């Protein structure tokens, strides 16, 4: 039996004795019972207070638990969002890497092809009949007009015919390329009844080379002729050496379609990738 129960039993007994006025009931028992009841009430009040405090702490703990759950849910949602963004970034980086690798492999293959083509021209280069240079990713074969044509003429000389024949044999072996034949002159005005300007002379010379290449076996569909006159010099026309360098025929190896950027997306109004 607990202390509270004993106290309550004594108090009840005292009250019963007092009510019955039996000889066994004493004043001291009554007073003790009153004190015990007072103590019991105090104990009950203290317990009620502790229960109230425990309830407040429990409510606070419940609120803290709910906050932690909300924070956890927010963190999970943020983690899922960040994970999705990270995955998207990784995929984009992978696409960029694959594209860079593809372009690098393309560039390496193109460089190897240029080196191989350059080697084909080496004998003619060493003989001084042509030069090879690169401009904006294009291989350009240059031949001095003095080797190919008499002054002021668009008719190939004998050396010019041999040179173009030898060059054409090399071009035939270069697959999947088109060739632009470009005529250039210096800036000294031409005085000829046949050609009114350097522009016309340069165009006529380019067309002569194209026709001769076709005659010796180069596919006409791979050839184009253009004349620039004096408008694209590569040297200073103020000197004789500079003017001699500007008087030239160029054979430009045009890029393949797969070397050019894909611009098809422009048709839909979106920028190219």
């Amino acid at each position: 039996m607990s202390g509270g129960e004993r106290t309550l039993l004594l108090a009840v007994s005292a009250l019963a004795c007092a009510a019955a006025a039996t000889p066994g009931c004493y004043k001291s028992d009554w007073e003790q019972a009153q004190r015990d009841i007072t103590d019991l009430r105090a104990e009950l009040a203290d317990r009620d207070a502790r229960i109230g405090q425990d309830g407040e702490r429990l409510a606070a703990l419940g609120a803290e638990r709910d906050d932690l759950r909300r924070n956890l849910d927010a963190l999970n949602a943020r983690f899922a969002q960040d994970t999705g963004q990270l995955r998207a970034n990784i995929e984009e980086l992978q696409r960029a890497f694959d594209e860079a690798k593809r372009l690098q492999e393309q560039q390496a293959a193109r460089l190897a092809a240029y080196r191989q083509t350059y080697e084909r021209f080496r004998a003619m280069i060493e003989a001084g009949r042509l030069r090879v240079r690169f401009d904006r990713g294009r291989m350009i074969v240059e031949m001095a007009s003095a080797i190919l044509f008499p002054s002021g003429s668009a008719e190939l000389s004998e050396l010019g015919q041999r040179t173009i024949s030898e060059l054409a044999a090399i071009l035939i072996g270069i697959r999947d390329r088109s060739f632009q034949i470009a005529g250039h002159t210096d800036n000294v005005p031409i005085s000829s009844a046949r050609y009114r300007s350097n522009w016309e002379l340069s165009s006529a010379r380019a067309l002569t080379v194209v026709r001769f290449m076709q005659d010796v076996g180069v596919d006409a569909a791979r050839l184009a002729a253009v004349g620039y006159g004096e408008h694209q010099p590569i040297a200073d026309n103020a000197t004789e050496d500079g003017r001699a360098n500007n008087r030239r025929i160029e054979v430009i190896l045009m890029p393949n379609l797969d070397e050019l950027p894909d611009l098809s997306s422009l048709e839909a109004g979106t920028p190219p990738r």
Side-chain angles (χ1 to χ4, degrees):
M1 181 180 296
S2 65
E5 291 173 339
R6 286 194 299 272
T7 301
L8 181 59
L9 181 59
L10 288 173
V12 171
S13 298
L15 289 173
C17 288
T22 59
C25 293
Y26 299 102
K27 181 179 180 180
S28 60
D29 292 336
W30 170 258
E31 291 174 348
Q32 181 62 41
Q34 290 293 327
R35 286 193 297 271
D36 290 341
I37 290 173
T38 301
D39 293 341
L40 179 59
R41 287 174 177 172
E43 183 179 349
L44 289 174
D46 182 62
R47 287 186 180 181
D48 288 341
R50 288 200 299 272
I51 289 173
Q53 292 173 355
D54 290 343
E56 292 175 358
R57 285 196 296 271
L58 183 62
L61 289 173
E64 184 177 355
R65 177 203 60 196
D66 293 340
D67 287 341
L68 289 174
R69 283 178 176 174
R70 285 192 293 271
N71 291 337
L72 179 60
D73 292 341
L75 287 174
N76 286 334
R78 179 62 183 273
F79 177 76
Q81 180 182 1
D82 290 347
T83 300
Q85 184 62 48
L86 180 60
R87 186 178 294 109
N89 291 343
I90 292 173
E91 291 174 355
E92 181 62 28
L93 287 173
Q94 184 63 48
R95 285 192 293 270
F97 174 80
D98 293 342
E99 178 65 12
K101 183 178 180 181
R102 184 185 68 82
L103 293 176
Q104 183 184 40
E105 291 172 350
Q106 250 188 14
Q107 181 68 18
R110 188 158 56 247
L111 182 60
Y114 278 145
R115 284 175 176 167
Q116 184 179 15
T117 302
Y118 183 87
E119 289 301 317
R120 295 178 180 179
F121 293 128
R122 181 175 294 278
M124 297 184 71
I125 294 172
E126 292 176 350
R129 285 186 287 168
L130 59 80
R131 294 179 298 180
V132 175
R133 65 184 177 91
F134 295 88
D135 180 49
R136 290 174 291 181
R138 302 173 304 168
M139 175 180 279
I140 301 175
V141 178
E142 291 182 1
M143 294 168 287
S145 293
I147 293 177
L148 305 178
F149 303 99
S151 179
S153 171
E155 300 295 326
L156 284 170
S157 64
E158 183 178 347
L159 176 59
Q161 291 180 11
R162 292 199 306 270
T163 299
I164 298 300
S165 294
E166 189 174 346
L167 175 60
I170 296 174
L171 298 182
I172 290 172
I174 300 175
R175 303 296 181 184
D176 303 323
R177 292 280 178 179
S178 295
F179 311 105
Q180 183 185 83
I181 314 303
H184 299 268
T185 67
D186 58 25
N187 66 345
V188 178
I190 188 173
S191 55
S192 168
R194 186 170 183 179
Y195 305 110
R196 293 188 305 169
S197 69
N198 285 325
W199 215 335
E200 288 155 313
L201 175 60
S202 65
S203 298
R205 285 177 169 177
L207 187 56
T208 295
V209 173
V210 164
R211 285 173 174 164
F212 190 86
M213 284 185 174
Q214 180 184 3
D215 291 341
V216 296
V218 181
D219 185 357
R222 301 171 66 192
L223 297 171
V226 61
Y228 291 101
E230 68 268 24
H231 301 294
Q232 289 192 5
I234 58 173
D236 188 356
N237 276 310
T239 66
E240 178 54 39
D241 287 342
R243 290 191 294 272
N245 286 330
N246 289 332
R247 297 189 295 268
R248 67 197 189 277
I249 290 290
E250 293 179 345
V251 178
I252 304 168
L253 280 67
M254 304 303 292
N256 291 331
L257 290 179
D258 59 1
E259 296 173 0
L260 299 175
D262 181 9
L263 303 180
S264 59
S265 58
L266 290 178
E267 298 177 0
T270 57
R273 293 185 64 178

